[in-house]
């Protein structure tokens, strides 16, 4: 296998166009709020994860995995997928309503996590101001079937267009509800512990420094960008003005992030992928 190729996607793909956007930090948080509404999926996370005690470590590991699948070589992406499949295969959880034990790598649960993630990525980028045609959005979903295959899903069983994603959400909504675990997770996502180096000195007695307020703003934007039906499950009204306010906040944040020098906005995986693409294109 070529260990120095363009990976699963490469330049010119809709995937690279979408994931060029730093605003996807909001999308990642939005997807977690959505995922928490699936009781079985939430039980799988709560019963197998130390996300409360190692929230930022888990975030870094997840971001590294996504970055590897998007920007790594094909061999890198496939290796990352094998590690995830092996880890999931060992995990079991108990259904909070039926008491049934289940595997966390059930296709239904993997599909829920995949769809909420990719839909959050592309919808957030678009609502924040990235120009994407309807065909490009469908192209993104189709491309992301390759990522779904990495975690063990049959690509043919994964929504590959915006219409199929909408149908999927409509079909799965009766299974979603606000549980105690979902509520606790939402509170945690909205106000997680900030790494001490980013907090105010302990003598201040509060952890409300600039990083905390900045994070509150990101979390509020992510919540506001949830679909109206998800907002209603969280106890909100899901009014059009909520979505408009979130869109305006996302656009403002995108503009602010665009002003940051590229060398600070792009991670090492993305930089390495671009260097590799330039080298292979020139060869």
């Amino acid at each position: 296998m070529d260990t120095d190729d363009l990976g699963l996607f490469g330049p010119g793909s809709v995937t690279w166009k979408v994931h060029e956007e730093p605003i996807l930090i909001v999308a990642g948080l939005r997807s977690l709020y959505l995922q928490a509404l699936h009781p079985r999926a939430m039980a799988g996370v709560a019963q197998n994860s130390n996300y409360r005690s190692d929230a930022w470590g888990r975030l870094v590991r997840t971001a590294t995995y996504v970055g590897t699948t998007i920007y790594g070589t094909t061999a890198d992406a496939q290796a990352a997928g094998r590690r995830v499949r092996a880890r999931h295969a060992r995990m079991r959880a108990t259904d909070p309503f039926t008491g049934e034990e289940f595997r966390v790598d059930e296709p239904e649960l993997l599909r829920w996590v995949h769809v909420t993630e990719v839909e959050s990525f592309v919808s957030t980028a678009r609502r924040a101001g990235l120009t994407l045609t309807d065909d490009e959005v469908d192209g993104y979903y189709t491309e992301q079937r390759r990522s779904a295959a990495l975690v063990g899903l049959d690509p043919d069983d994964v929504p590959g267009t915006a219409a199929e994603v909408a149908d999927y959400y409509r079909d799965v909504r009766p299974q979603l509800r606000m549980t105690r675990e979902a509520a606790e997770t939402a509170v945690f996502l909205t106000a997680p512990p900030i790494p001490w180096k980013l907090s105010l000195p302990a003598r201040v007695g509060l952890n409300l420094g600039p990083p905390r307020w900045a994070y509150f703003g990101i979390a509020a934007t992510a919540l506001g960008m949830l679909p109206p039906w998800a907002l209603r499950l969280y106890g909100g009204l899901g009014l059009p003005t909520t979505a408009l306010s979130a869109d305006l906040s996302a656009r403002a944040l995108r503009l602010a992030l665009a002003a940051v020098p590229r060398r600070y906005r792009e991670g090492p995986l993305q930089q390495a992928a671009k260097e590799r693409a330039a080298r292979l294109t020139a060869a």
Side-chain angles (χ1 to χ4, degrees):
M1 178 182 296
D2 192 346
T3 58
D4 194 30
D5 63 8
L6 295 176
L8 298 181
F9 307 103
S13 65
V14 187
T15 293
W16 271 33
K17 180 177 180 178
V18 170
H19 287 264
E20 180 83 11
E21 295 292 312
I23 193 65
L24 294 196
I25 186 175
V26 174
L29 190 55
R30 177 188 185 272
S31 72
L32 295 177
Y33 282 119
L34 270 177
Q35 289 166 20
L37 292 172
H38 194 300
R40 204 167 169 104
M42 188 65 251
V45 172
Q47 296 172 34
N48 288 278
S49 170
N50 61 343
Y51 75 94
R52 290 181 182 275
S53 60
D54 187 29
W56 297 99
R58 188 169 187 268
L59 175 64
V60 169
R61 290 190 292 274
T62 300
T64 299
Y65 173 77
V66 173
T68 300
T69 63
I70 301 299
Y71 293 112
T73 65
T74 301
D76 290 338
Q78 292 177 342
R82 284 194 297 271
R83 290 192 293 271
V84 167
R85 293 196 305 275
R87 186 162 62 250
H88 285 170
R90 299 191 295 268
M91 294 180 179
R92 303 291 186 274
T94 301
D95 189 294
F97 297 104
T98 67
E100 173 195 4
E101 184 179 83
F102 63 92
R103 294 172 57 119
V104 303
D105 60 356
E106 289 181 349
E108 173 191 353
L109 303 183
L110 295 177
R111 189 178 302 111
W112 168 250
V113 172
H114 171 81
V115 173
T116 54
E117 185 176 85
V118 298
E119 185 271 326
S120 290
F121 284 148
V122 74
S123 65
T124 298
R126 200 181 201 188
R127 290 171 64 179
L130 178 65
T131 301
L132 291 169
T133 66
D134 291 344
D135 285 344
E136 285 180 311
V137 172
D138 285 347
Y140 177 77
Y141 286 130
T142 300
E143 289 175 2
Q144 284 304 306
R145 283 175 161 172
R146 303 169 202 167
S147 296
L150 292 177
V151 297
L153 284 166
D154 182 342
D156 290 338
D157 293 336
V158 175
T161 65
E164 290 177 1
V165 168
D167 289 343
Y168 170 79
Y169 275 150
R170 186 190 64 245
D171 293 342
V172 80
R173 278 171 58 182
Q175 303 174 39
L176 308 181
R177 57 180 58 88
M178 171 60 73
T179 62
R180 178 179 59 81
E181 287 180 332
E184 291 175 350
T185 298
V187 170
F188 182 83
L189 290 172
T190 304
I194 297 294
W196 70 268
K197 290 183 179 180
L198 299 179
S199 304
L200 286 175
R203 64 178 179 273
V204 175
L206 293 171
N207 188 6
L208 294 175
R212 171 65 71 189
W213 289 118
Y215 183 87
F216 277 157
I218 292 172
T221 301
L223 271 170
M225 298 188 87
L226 289 175
W229 52 262
L231 277 173
R232 287 192 290 272
L233 286 174
Y234 273 118
L237 297 177
L239 297 173
T241 52
T242 302
L244 176 60
S245 177
D247 288 357
L248 292 174
S249 296
R251 287 174 179 266
L253 179 58
R254 180 172 181 256
L255 289 175
L257 291 172
V260 177
R262 186 174 295 274
R263 66 181 180 277
Y264 298 122
R265 286 189 282 122
E266 295 182 349
L269 288 168
Q270 187 177 3
Q271 292 173 5
K274 289 186 174 182
E275 291 170 1
R276 190 169 63 251
R279 184 175 64 253
L280 293 174
T281 302

